[in-house]
Amino acid sequence: MTEIRFLFDYVSPYAFLAWKRLHRAAAREPIVLRPEPVLFAGLLNAHGQLGPAEIPAKRRYIFRDVLRTALREGIPLAPPRTHPYNPLLALRLSGLDMDPAARIRLVDRLFDRAWSEGGGVETPDDLSPVLDALGLDAPALLSAAGSTEAKERLKVATARAVEAGVFGVPTMFVGEEMYWGNDAIDHVLDAIAGRSRPLPAELLDRWEHLPASAHRR
Amino acid sequence: MTEIRFLFDYVSPYAFLAWKRLHRAAAREPIVLRPEPVLFAGLLNAHGQLGPAEIPAKRRYIFRDVLRTALREGIPLAPPRTHPYNPLLALRLSGLDMDPAARIRLVDRLFDRAWSEGGGVETPDDLSPVLDALGLDAPALLSAAGSTEAKERLKVATARAVEAGVFGVPTMFVGEEMYWGNDAIDHVLDAIAGRSRPLPAELLDRWEHLPASAHRR
């Protein structure tokens, strides 16, 4: 079994698409998915960049691209209730100690609720019925998700991701190798299947030390 | 024949990868490629966003992703001489009045020189031998590329792209539909082959009017 670390935020439709594709792949390939919530806004802040939904032209385009990709992949998709929304409680909840299989079911349900069913994943009222339906202890988990420890855990996970070079979601790790974005899924599946070719070290080294001959004003 | 408008800047390795893939596709499919130079830095300025090479973690990742994609697609790739570099002269040259087939050969050669051969495409000394080898009149074209008219043409092309909602390169148009990025090529080829499904208008409308319930601080 190969482990795929899956760093995500429920706010990202590309994280949703990538999750659904990997979740399906896990049903037929020797893959263990390890979902790890991180705060996308924290990644953007750390790198001083704008998110796609913060650039109006990009936001418009992305709606179309996400819908087109969902149609192609046969993934049911509907706009969420609001966007952007506050994913903090759902992320903290998803990072609590729990059985790995339960975490995968929870992440899958919350992604579906947000991006397939037009539901919200912001408030205790949004989240409680989802936990109930999964047979989980909603009051205990929601209380734990509001704790200082859960808040700190999400902060630390996000900070560690930044240190590891993560700048967006979804980000996947197969061993040490990092993959970013729904469009990197084919590379991830290549890596799992042993079809990746090694990246020539000499070329990577030249890239790394490439001088700039122009800068944007 | 279906026309694909291809908006590009030589500074982008993803524009290079997309160009090579479409150029190959054009050899077997009823496609006419219409390359249209735009200044990527101008797009970034217009939308107030950082380019991928301006975020160190993203820059490092992108080198690996570009190389991995080139290996998968069988596209010879080597780092350019410098990066970022100043693409203005090459872009202005590529936007001059010329035979459409000559423009396609020129764009293809300049992309190869920058991204397959480790050469430069910045100065008249870089560009002159390329024009010579293509049987083009190097002194006349380089002089025209330095003219106020050529400068204005690139500015206008970039401004029009911004007005049309373009925020990055490569951007492709098939009819009215816009596609962004090397990873959108499969969608472009679907559109060409008549395999695109119409995007449900009701869902697009809901997206368009989606309220936000959170904003990044």
Side-chain angles (χ1 to χ4, degrees), chain A residues 45 49 54 61 63-64 68-69 80 82-85 115 122 177-178 180 187 207 210-211 213-214 216, chain B residues 45 49 54-55 61 63-64 68-69 80 82-85 115 122 177-178 180 187 207 210-211 213-214 216:
Chain A
N45 288 338
Q49 60 177 330
E54 295 170 333
Y61 171 75
F63 289 167
R64 301 183 81 85
R68 190 152 44 224
T69 303
T82 58
H83 196 269
Y85 49 78
W115 292 103
E122 284 192 292
E177 194 70 31
M178 181 174 115
W180 169 56
H187 287 310
W207 279 113
L210 214 53
S213 58
R216 186 157 64 101
Chain B
N45 288 337
Q49 62 176 331
E54 294 169 334
I55 299 160
Y61 172 76
F63 289 167
R64 301 183 80 87
R68 191 154 40 224
T69 304
T82 57
H83 197 268
Y85 49 80
W115 291 103
E122 285 191 290
E177 193 69 31
M178 181 174 115
W180 169 57
H187 287 310
W207 280 112
L210 213 53
S213 57
R216 187 158 64 101

Side-chain angles (χ1 to χ4, degrees), chain B residues 133-189:
Chain B
L134 289 170
L136 297 167
D137 184 341
L141 286 170
L142 286 170
S143 165
S147 70
T148 308
E149 196 201 327
K151 292 177 184 177
E152 193 58 26
R153 189 175 287 196
L154 181 63
K155 264 190 209 165
V156 168
T158 305
R160 283 204 184 134
V162 170
E163 275 165 40
V166 174
F167 51 84
V169 285
T171 291
M172 292 140 288
F173 284 92
V174 179
E176 297 287 301
E177 193 69 31
M178 181 174 115
Y179 300 87
W180 169 57
N182 173 60
D183 58 293
I185 295 277
D186 290 339
H187 287 310
V188 170
L189 296 177

Side-chain angles (χ1 to χ4, degrees), chain A residues 172-179 199, chain B residues 61 64 68:
Chain A
M172 292 138 288
F173 284 92
V174 179
E176 296 287 301
E177 194 70 31
M178 181 174 115
Y179 301 87
L199 301 178
Chain B
Y61 172 76
R64 301 183 80 87
R68 191 154 40 224

Side-chain angles (χ1 to χ4, degrees), chain B residues 40-114:
Chain B
F40 184 36
L43 302 178
L44 294 175
N45 288 337
H47 294 289
Q49 62 176 331
L50 291 175
E54 294 169 334
I55 299 160
K58 202 164 183 176
R59 180 179 162 93
R60 269 192 303 280
Y61 172 76
I62 276 171
F63 289 167
R64 301 183 80 87
D65 183 58
V66 165
L67 194 48
R68 191 154 40 224
T69 304
L71 285 171
R72 185 183 62 192
E73 302 289 335
I75 298 170
L77 183 113
R81 194 175 58 185
T82 57
H83 197 268
Y85 49 80
N86 185 333
L88 280 169
L89 186 61
L91 293 173
R92 288 168 183 156
L93 184 66
S94 305
L96 294 174
D97 290 329
M98 67 181 83
D99 175 68
R103 191 190 316 281
I104 286 175
R105 283 195 299 274
L106 176 60
V107 168
D108 194 52
R109 276 300 300 135
L110 292 179
F111 263 131
D112 277 347
R113 186 173 158 88

